[in-house]
Amino acid sequence: MTTSTFTSSAGASRILRSVWAAIKKIPPVYPLFFAIFISIGFLGQSYQTMPGILNFLRRAAPLAILAIGEMLVLATGGFDLSIGSIVTLVVLGSSKLLNNDPANAIPSILIMLGFGVLIGLINGTVVSYLKVPSFIATLGMLLLVKGGALYWVGGAPQGYLTDNWRFFGREYIENVPILGRFPVALLILIVIAAFSWFIFHRTNFGKQVLAIGDNVRASQLSGVRVRLVRTMAFVLSAVFAVIGGVLIGGYGGVNVTIGEGLEMQSIAACVVGGVMLTGGRGNVMNVVFGAFTMEAMFNLLNLLGLPKPYKDAVQGLIIIAAVAYIALSTRRKR
Amino acid sequence: MATITVSQNKWKQALGRLRIPPVYIFLVITFAVGGLLDQIFADGQIFTNPSIFMNMIVRSVALGIVAVGQTLVIIGASIDLSVAYTISITAVMSSFIMQGDPNNVPQAILIVFAIGAVIGLVNGLLITKLNVNAFIATLGTSLILKGIINGTFSNYTGSIPRSFEAFGYNQIGPIPISILVLLLVVFAGWFLLNRTKFGSHLYGVGGNNEVARLSGLRTDRVLIMAHIICSLTAVLTGLFIVSRLRSGAPWVGPDGIYDLESIATTVVGGTALSGGKGGVWGTLAGVLIFGVLDTVFNQLGVNPYLKTVLRGGIIVLAVASYTYRSKREAA
């Protein structure tokens, strides 16, 4: 009798312990996101409805796409500071290429994707073959792309973005069962996240990216083609930035400063999603939720009615607090 | 024949002992090519007019002072993205406190240096005690400073007294005071790095933090100190800018991109972003390259957007000029 109660209580505690272990394994970004999201749900009625939630996700989608691309580079141990200015290039360049004619929408997006591939290739080549640290290489690219875009359009937006170009960023797919109207931007995010999840977590490429970030020399000696993999990461990052730019332009319209600071926001989203800036760690889902957390935070600050400057200050505080929390909790685990 | 090689070796040894960073070759080339372009396409003032030549260096003072601080931090394998807004806060606060009255100058200077020290201390504590990655920690403090300053001031605020303009405009003999201050700061940086215990500790911490810690260094203190010094140099840059502008505005720091440009010039000067290697003389050359480019572009009347493009390209080329031979993969 006593033995059986003893064993059952031991079994219960073992179950409890394994449940606790499972809880501890949940990356801190999820509780963080739900805490912020639930508080904006209390403050803003619209966040309690399905359209409200979908709308929130639509606004978060571009940052999430940029952050996934940034993660691929961060995981190799590098930086990509050029993605914000790529967004500026996409929006300003398209406004020029479109020439106010809807028929030019698809060609202009394709040309921008081409620019993305080119920028990524140059970033990757400069880092891999000229051995320039990626922080400097992509900082140079930031200046080059931003200056180039503004020079191309003469310093001010030329014309507007046609409605069909803006389709991806602001339109909905109507009559989806249960969900109602489904934002196109969110669909694109899902496709990109699934694609990235597959190549990052289910192919050799992803393992090689992480191996390079963990230890370049060791991965090189074990046969990883470091330069090729790294260049691929830069190309994907730049192409994702172009896609993000199409969504951002579609939602927000033409603006000279539209891409400013997005590289820093993406890096912050990645870090909130548990990516280490020294490389070797990364997870697509966590990073997507890192971006959602950032967007939820912006919404929270909006709902609290803070003036823009104080929003910056609180954003800084929250980024530091979130990262300190994650840093301390991972140190405890070791 | 043999004597010639011996004397050549002596020259090489002497040069080696001076340890001139290779980036000075790039500086000389930039200056020569820029001057030639100016001779051919513009009025050729770079080579002939000494005041343009001096102005070229004055252009480098603001960036140069803060870049010395940034160099210290980067040698410690850290980074400081908050310098741009530290500069803004200094510029605005000092002209706000001075209000054009020479009697307020000492307390204004004291207060802005105190603010700078606190910013550096906070950066250092976040990085060492809370284990926040330096990039994120200083990005965060930068956002906080941005919020505070944009929330409090929205335009040019206050003014500085005539006597304080001396820092930005006066000369001792033929040399502007600001250039002397820049040289003094660079020399102080060199002295700190090469002639003090703190300097050797900083190289140790930057080279390998764990090894430095295990060999008994208080690595946290060293890094916190480096961050405080970096913020103080940003304050000095802010004071120089306000003495040139005669009044401070919240956007003077970010408009000059002092955060990213101070990092870029440091790396152009040969300091490794991974830490533990480099020095302030290289940084000075990096800063002067930017000053030369600025002057050349102005002389030639280059479109401002094209200027940005060329700047971006030249930063990458300057760094590539000595990294491309490296055997190790870059990150």
Side-chain angles (χ1 to χ4, degrees), chain A residues 126 130-136 139-140 143-144 147-148 150-151 155 216 220 227 230 277 309 312-313 319-320 324 327 331, chain B residues 126 131-133 135-136 143-144 146-147 151 260 263 267 273 303 305 308-309 312 316 320 323-324 326 328-331:
Chain A
V126 170
L130 296 181
K131 314 275 175 65
V132 176
S134 58
F135 192 94
I136 297 297
L139 170 61
L143 296 172
L144 223 131
L150 285 166
Y151 182 69
V216 181
Q220 206 171 25
R227 294 170 177 184
R230 207 170 239 161
L277 294 188
D312 286 328
I319 291 174
I320 292 176
R331 189 165 59 169
Chain B
L126 285 173
N131 254 16
V132 181
N133 179 291
F135 187 91
I136 295 292
L143 282 171
I144 295 171
K146 179 183 178 187
L260 293 178
I263 297 168
V267 177
L273 269 178
N303 172 298
Y305 303 122
T308 314
V309 173
V316 174
T323 54
Y324 80 100
S326 149
R328 288 176 50 194
E329 293 290 330

Side-chain angles (χ1 to χ4, degrees), chain A residues 148-193:
Chain A
L150 285 166
Y151 182 69
W152 186 21
V153 301
Q158 305 286 313
Y160 59 95
L161 297 167
T162 56
D163 283 341
N164 60 345
W165 194 95
R166 298 183 66 167
F167 168 79
F168 302 101
R170 68 171 177 187
E171 290 308 320
Y172 294 87
I173 302 166
E174 302 289 341
N175 300 327
V176 177
I178 307 164
L179 298 171
R181 310 166 78 200
F182 196 79
V184 179
L186 185 54
L187 185 70
I188 292 173
L189 169 64
I190 292 171
V191 170
I192 294 218

Side-chain angles (χ1 to χ4, degrees), chain A residues 10-23:
Chain A
S13 77
R14 198 184 308 134
I15 291 169
L16 263 177
R17 218 178 299 139
S18 63
V19 168
W20 178 236
I23 288 173

Side-chain angles (χ1 to χ4, degrees), chain A residues 195-315:
Chain A
F195 168 76
S196 310
W197 180 85
F198 178 75
I199 61 164
F200 195 69
H201 296 290
R202 285 291 176 275
T203 64
N204 275 340
F205 170 75
K207 292 194 178 68
Q208 290 173 343
V209 164
L210 288 171
I212 292 171
D214 211 27
N215 188 332
V216 181
R217 192 78 191 117
S219 59
Q220 206 171 25
L221 290 174
S222 54
V224 175
R225 296 166 73 184
V226 172
R227 294 170 177 184
L228 182 74
V229 173
R230 207 170 239 161
T231 306
M232 286 276 289
F234 277 110
V235 169
L236 284 171
S237 173
V239 168
F240 286 3
V242 172
I243 297 170
V246 171
L247 300 189
I248 290 171
Y251 183 75
V254 195
N255 182 344
V256 182
T257 58
I258 200 158
E260 230 144 76
L262 281 174
E263 60 281 344
M264 295 300 179
Q265 279 181 27
S266 309
I267 292 172
C270 284
V271 175
V272 170
V275 176
M276 288 205 304
L277 294 188
T278 44
R281 285 257 299 274
N283 181 303
V284 173
M285 274 313 281
N286 296 357
V287 164
V288 168
F289 272 85
F292 288 173
T293 308
M294 295 287 290
E295 186 65 34
M297 199 177 74
F298 297 146
N299 281 298
L300 178 65
L301 298 175
N302 264 336
L303 287 169
L304 291 174
L306 286 176
K308 166 88 175 68
Y310 294 108
K311 258 190 273 176
D312 286 328
V314 177
Q315 187 194 339

